[in-house]
Amino acid sequence: MYGKIKEHLQDQLSQIREAGLYKTERIITSAQDAVIRLNSGEEVLNFCANNYLGLSNHPELIKAAKSALDSHGFGMSSVRFICGTTDLHKVLEAKIAEFFGTEDSILYAACFDANGGLFEPLFQEEDAIISDSLNHASIIDGVRLSKARRFRYKNADMKDLELQLQAAQDSRFRIIVTDGVFSMDGNVAPLDEIVGLARKYNALVMVDECHSAGVVGDTGRGVTERFNVRGEVDIITGTLGKAFGGAIGGFTTGKKEIIELLRQRSRPYLFSNAIPPSVVGAGIRMFEMMTETKELQNRLHRNTDYFVTKIKEAGFDIKPTKSAICAVMLYDAKLSQEFAARLLNEGIYVIGFYYPVVPNGEARIRVQLSAAHHQQHLDQAVMAFTKVGKALGVLK
Ligand SMILES: *Cc1c(COP(=O)(O)O)cnc(C)c1O
């Protein structure tokens, strides 16, 4: 049976390899941190993790996870509505709502599931979903699963959004859907203008805060804080897998009827396991830490400002960033791969991105800053970029 499809799959795999799009996985033998050890034995500085607040290996979270393991065990062996809901799950859901200034929250195994299970229960044929062209794959998939009409607007382009809103005026309900921070450029969605247009055209607003929560805004509450529209966004989705500890878990938070209906109808919630107590316990501690101090946010913002200033001074061309993502533009795909490989030899671990992940001719190296970085790490990175930049003729 397997014979024919085996050849077909082998063909596909070789096509991926020939196109230079084959993804390999580097193997790490240490915990996630600013400095990581690879299986080659070498230690490198990590500038490609979503570990924005340096919480992935934080002793407080490890302690909280261990304590929840002791009190509530290893796994739930159930979806939430059968016997998978503990007191800890309820506390974490309340903490998430408190943090974002929303009414209620619902946990998922990942934000991919939160987005995947969001639209189908809420919107029907007579409704319209108006989505930013650079939204995350999970939003695209989630929108596909709903029967609503789909509209797309150019990335963060408010003129185009307005046109799409006008085109969708005859629908029963409309919702504008956007990432908070776009992961390849590090730009933020202009949420103040989006909320303004939503009011004008009577639309709901949904923001995916995966790359912005913990990062953007003075206290890390995300783009709603940055644009002073807390409480004015109907639905926020986010992850525990990036700034918030980096383990696993996603959530939707917002208006209480929406959350209540998701608990009844959202398929990834109804048909997939509850997240384990250790992850939930660490999540609770994490949100407590967020409210106790701004220290990690401050450190992240200082590190980002410092790196962006220094890399510009060195002569590199970067995308304007409003987040902890700094795209160092190289434009040429091959160059981006060569550049990243040489940086690794200099002990700097970053990834070069090129088409189709970013537009053709816009290859780049994406640097992700973290509160875990020390100034000396940032200096080392800028020095290595400069050295490789000169060697490859990017800098004069
Ligand atoms: C990472 C990411 C997700 C997926 O989050 P997981 O919890 O890892 O599934 C969804 N949306 C955006 C914008 C992301 O960056």
Side-chain angles (χ1 to χ4, degrees), residues 62-73:
I62 294 170
K63 196 170 118 199
K66 281 181 177 161
S67 153
L69 263 176
D70 289 340
S71 60
H72 289 71

Side-chain angles (χ1 to χ4, degrees), residues 115 119 129 131 138-147 150:
N115 289 335
F119 303 98
I129 300 172
S131 185
S138 55
I139 293 180
I140 295 168
D141 287 8
V143 170
R144 275 190 194 140
L145 292 172
S146 106
K147 294 198 175 70
R150 301 170 209 161

Side-chain angles (χ1 to χ4, degrees), residues 118-226:
L118 177 64
F119 303 98
E120 187 258 343
L122 299 177
F123 302 104
Q124 317 302 327
E125 286 93 337
E126 57 269 43
D127 304 320
I129 300 172
I130 305 161
S131 185
D132 188 290
S133 62
L134 289 191
N135 279 343
H136 190 262
S138 55
I139 293 180
I140 295 168
D141 287 8
V143 170
R144 275 190 194 140
L145 292 172
S146 106
K147 294 198 175 70
R149 283 196 297 158
R150 301 170 209 161
F151 297 81
R152 230 165 72 116
Y153 63 97
K154 288 192 214 100
N155 177 231
D157 182 331
M158 295 299 101
K159 284 219 176 70
D160 197 21
L161 172 57
E162 183 154 20
L163 289 177
Q164 302 309 318
L165 281 163
Q166 286 164 354
Q169 273 310 288
D170 61 347
S171 52
R172 179 183 59 171
F173 306 128
R174 286 161 291 288
I175 182 165
I176 306 169
V177 175
T178 183
D179 283 9
V181 161
F182 296 93
S183 64
M184 284 299 143
D185 286 11
N187 60 319
V188 294
L191 204 56
D192 49 349
E193 294 178 63
I194 290 174
V195 167
L197 284 172
R199 272 202 209 104
K200 185 169 168 191
Y201 291 96
N202 194 20
L204 299 165
V205 179
M206 177 278 202
V207 184
D208 177 336
E209 296 264 27
C210 278
H211 280 285
S212 41
V215 174
V216 171
D218 189 42
T219 65
R221 260 80 171 166
V223 283
T224 62
E225 178 181 18
R226 185 174 194 285

Side-chain angles (χ1 to χ4, degrees), residues 317-331:
D317 182 11
I318 66 160
K319 285 263 179 192
T321 178
K322 295 274 190 278
S323 63
I325 292 166
C326 178
V328 180
M329 300 305 294
L330 296 169
Y331 303 101

